[in-house]
Amino acid sequence: MKIIWDRTFKTKRLIIRPFTQRDYNAWKRAHQNRLPKQNQFDSGPVPEKELTKIIFKKKIAGYREIAKKDSIYVYGIFDKQTGENLGGIDIFVMARFGFQWANLGYYINNQHCGNGYAKEAAKAGLRIGFKTLKLQRIEGATELDNYASIAVMKASGMKKECIRKKFYREKNRWIDMVVFIKLAT
């Protein structure tokens, strides 16, 4: 099955598509304009040394390579009116064959949080996963106290499935995660 993943998807306010070299300035501005760290789940500002054109070019090439391997699909989230880069989503294929299973990840640059962009992008990510990538099961996992991410998953139509104990390793410790799922209809 050949997957044509590198298309443009539109929602009411957003354009979701793979990053291209032409997105460098929008990507750099988005990261330069990040606010100081807002909470424990926010990474805050990105150091200027990590915002070079060379680094961005390598990221784009890496995204294309992992998509060709049907491993991870990375899309930028852009404002339909201004073209501003608001964040990104990724769809991490966990298993194919009889499973057709992936994890949906998303982020909104913190200067744009609270505007409903994550919810709109997550809904689009689910449609991309089911219709374009031909997945059967998409899940999202987050820390038990990441209430903003839990709210996004609920608002996008995902349902809580379980809590996975010591599911994810971060900062030299294993953490429990709450898992939400959506199945293809």
Side-chain angles (χ1 to χ4, degrees):
M1 164 179 64
K2 176 135 171 74
I3 295 174
I4 301 172
W5 68 277
D6 55 348
R7 299 179 26 225
T8 297
F9 305 90
K10 295 179 181 179
T11 68
K12 182 178 180 184
R13 301 178 296 163
L14 307 174
I15 292 175
I16 298 171
R17 59 173 174 73
F19 284 100
T20 68
Q21 298 299 325
R22 294 182 311 273
D23 297 321
Y24 172 69
N25 290 327
W27 173 83
K28 183 176 180 181
R29 271 191 311 277
H31 286 83
Q32 285 175 322
N33 293 333
R34 287 180 62 85
L35 301 172
K37 187 174 177 152
Q38 302 294 298
N39 59 56
Q40 67 179 347
F41 306 108
D42 183 12
S43 59
V46 177
E48 193 71 28
K49 67 182 180 184
E50 294 177 22
L51 300 175
T52 68
K53 204 171 218 174
I54 292 170
I55 289 173
F56 184 71
K57 190 174 186 179
K58 286 180 182 177
K59 281 181 181 285
I60 301 301
Y63 295 159
R64 292 215 170 274
E65 282 304 308
I66 57 178
K68 283 180 190 172
K69 294 176 182 173
D70 191 38
S71 181
I72 306 172
Y73 298 90
V74 179
Y75 298 90
I77 302 168
F78 299 90
D79 183 287
K80 197 184 265 187
Q81 297 294 320
T82 66
E84 188 174 5
N85 176 221
L86 303 173
I89 63 171
D90 62 80
I91 301 169
F92 185 106
V93 177
M94 308 294 276
R96 283 289 189 180
F97 307 108
F99 297 100
Q100 303 305 325
W101 169 34
N103 183 82
L104 173 67
Y106 44 82
Y107 74 92
I108 298 296
N109 291 309
N110 66 8
Q111 68 271 33
H112 300 292
C113 288
N115 294 305
Y117 295 131
K119 174 181 146 184
E120 196 171 330
K123 283 181 177 181
L126 291 169
R127 283 193 308 275
I128 293 165
F130 293 131
K131 293 183 192 253
T132 301
L133 304 180
K134 307 299 184 206
L135 296 164
Q136 171 59 31
R137 173 190 175 93
I138 300 176
E139 64 181 46
T142 192
E143 293 87 342
L144 302 178
D145 57 346
N146 190 340
Y147 304 114
S149 188
I150 290 169
V152 167
M153 288 187 275
K154 285 180 178 178
S156 70
M158 299 177 90
K159 303 290 182 211
K160 181 178 174 182
E161 181 177 61
C162 64
I163 293 175
R164 290 193 182 136
K165 298 290 188 181
K166 297 186 178 184
F167 182 62
Y168 186 74
R169 187 161 176 80
E170 183 175 76
K171 298 178 185 169
N172 293 321
R173 65 184 180 92
W174 287 99
I175 57 176
D176 298 344
M177 304 285 273
V178 59
V179 177
F180 284 75
I181 67 156
K182 183 135 179 131
L183 302 175
T185 53

